């Protein structure tokens, strides 16, 4: 394997790594040699995910974690250091949505979405920072969305949270560059996961609209997210920081 993409000896924490995009990225990191700690709330999903990674020849453990709690994020980092002796890579991927028109968003909806998507990204990055300093540097990958760029009628809280993730990413990148920590965001297009299966049920015609607008002509799958995760976690990206990279089959460049 090229040393540019070799993650042997590295340890990664992937929030929401027990399904969807997080698991797709976790499998990519494990395939490149990283040991992976999967963090999610659901113990059965956690167990299934690490069995999947191990089945593919990877090394994986799991920790129960609700990323809306800073203390839980700190405990997940501690569990990673305990299991693997270090933390080099954080993928702050856990996220959710509540699809409502803005006039229908309750206070609870707003706080749920902002806490799950945006506050969690800060809390997990804050928790990772001292461990990465101990390791001599690190890579933080945050997850934005097409809603970091666009707006839709049913995603005001979600779009606000994902726009915030990109700005948070830029600020962390500037602050922590002297510590040899690179921080970048991935903006996935429409990826077939539990989250978007819910969206397709709620939004008539979404399935076809995404295909029609995507130059590549299909929905993404979690495995499509593995390559960018490896790149942003590996030495290949050591001079890349503060960016937001769309991985969307061309959805965001269609005129
Ligand atoms: P899924 O619903 O398939 O997975 C979400 C993951 O997040 C699960 O592993 C879930 O595990 C975890 N999670 C949710 N809330 C919490 C929490 N409070 N604490 C810890 N873990 C949590 O969604 P996707 O894979 O689609 O989404 C992953 C990320 O990608 C999200 O940030 C999403 O916004 C983003 N995204 C998705 C796109 C898509 O098209 N699918 C497009 C753009 C961005 P558990 O339930 O066990 O806690």
């Amino acid at each position: 394997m090229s040393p540019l993409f070799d993650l042997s000896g590295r340890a990664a924490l992937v929030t929401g790594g027990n399904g969807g995009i997080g698991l797709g990225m976790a499998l990519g990191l494990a395939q490149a040699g990283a040991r992976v700690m999967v963090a999610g709330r659901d113990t059965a999903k956690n167990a299934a995910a690490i069995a999947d990674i191990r089945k593919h020849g990877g090394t994986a453990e799991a920790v129960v974690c609700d990323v809306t709690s800073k203390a839980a994020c700190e405990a997940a980092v501690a569990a990673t250091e305990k299991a693997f002796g270090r933390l080099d890579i954080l993928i702050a991927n856990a996220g959710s949505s509540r699809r409502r028109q803005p006039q229908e968003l309750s206070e609870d909806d707003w706080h749920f979405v902002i806490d799950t998507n945006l506050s969690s990204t800060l809390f997990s990055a804050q928790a990772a920072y001292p461990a990465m300093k101990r390791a001599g540097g690190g890579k933080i990958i945050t997850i934005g969305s097409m809603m970091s760029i666009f707006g839709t009628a049913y995603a005001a809280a979600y779009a606000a949270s994902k726009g915030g993730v990109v700005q948070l990413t830029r600020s962390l990148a500037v602050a922590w560059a002297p510590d040899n920590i690179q921080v970048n965001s991935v903006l996935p297009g429409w990826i077939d996961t539990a989250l978007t299966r819910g969206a397709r049920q709620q939004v008539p015609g979404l399935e076809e609209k995404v295909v029609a607008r995507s130059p590549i002509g299909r929905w993404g799958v979690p495995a499509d997210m593995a390559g960018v995760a490896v790149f942003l976690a590996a030495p290949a990206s050591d001079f890349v920081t503060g960016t937001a990279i769309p991985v969307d089959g061309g959805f965001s460049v269609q005129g």
Side-chain angles (χ1 to χ4, degrees), residues 13-160:
L13 170 62
V14 184
T15 72
N18 67 21
I21 289 173
L23 181 54
M25 289 185 158
L27 282 162
L29 297 188
Q31 209 177 2
R35 294 160 291 166
V36 179
M37 180 65 73
V38 164
R41 295 164 302 179
D42 185 313
T43 44
K45 277 163 62 185
N46 285 353
I50 63 173
D52 193 6
I53 295 168
R54 289 172 181 168
K55 195 180 73 194
H56 285 86
T59 302
E61 299 292 339
V63 60
V64 173
C65 172
D66 182 336
V67 290
T68 61
S69 152
K70 190 172 169 184
C73 292
E74 288 165 350
V77 168
T80 309
E81 283 191 302
K82 186 165 181 232
F84 304 137
R86 54 192 294 128
L87 176 69
D88 306 280
I89 301 155
L90 166 69
I91 304 187
N93 160 79
S96 196
S97 185
R98 285 190 186 164
R99 282 168 286 277
R100 314 231 194 289
Q101 292 275 333
Q103 64 274 21
E104 287 159 5
L105 272 175
S106 68
E107 278 184 71
D108 181 65
D109 293 332
W110 176 262
H111 290 299
F112 171 80
V113 174
I114 297 293
D115 289 353
T116 306
N117 298 352
L118 180 56
S119 308
S120 67
T121 302
L122 175 66
F123 296 158
S124 56
Q126 284 177 320
Y129 178 66
M132 288 184 174
K133 281 194 81 169
R134 280 192 285 280
K139 302 279 192 177
I140 298 177
I141 301 166
T142 66
I143 306 297
S145 161
M146 289 299 99
M147 297 307 135
S148 301
I149 310 171
F150 304 118
T152 63
Y154 56 87
Y158 185 80

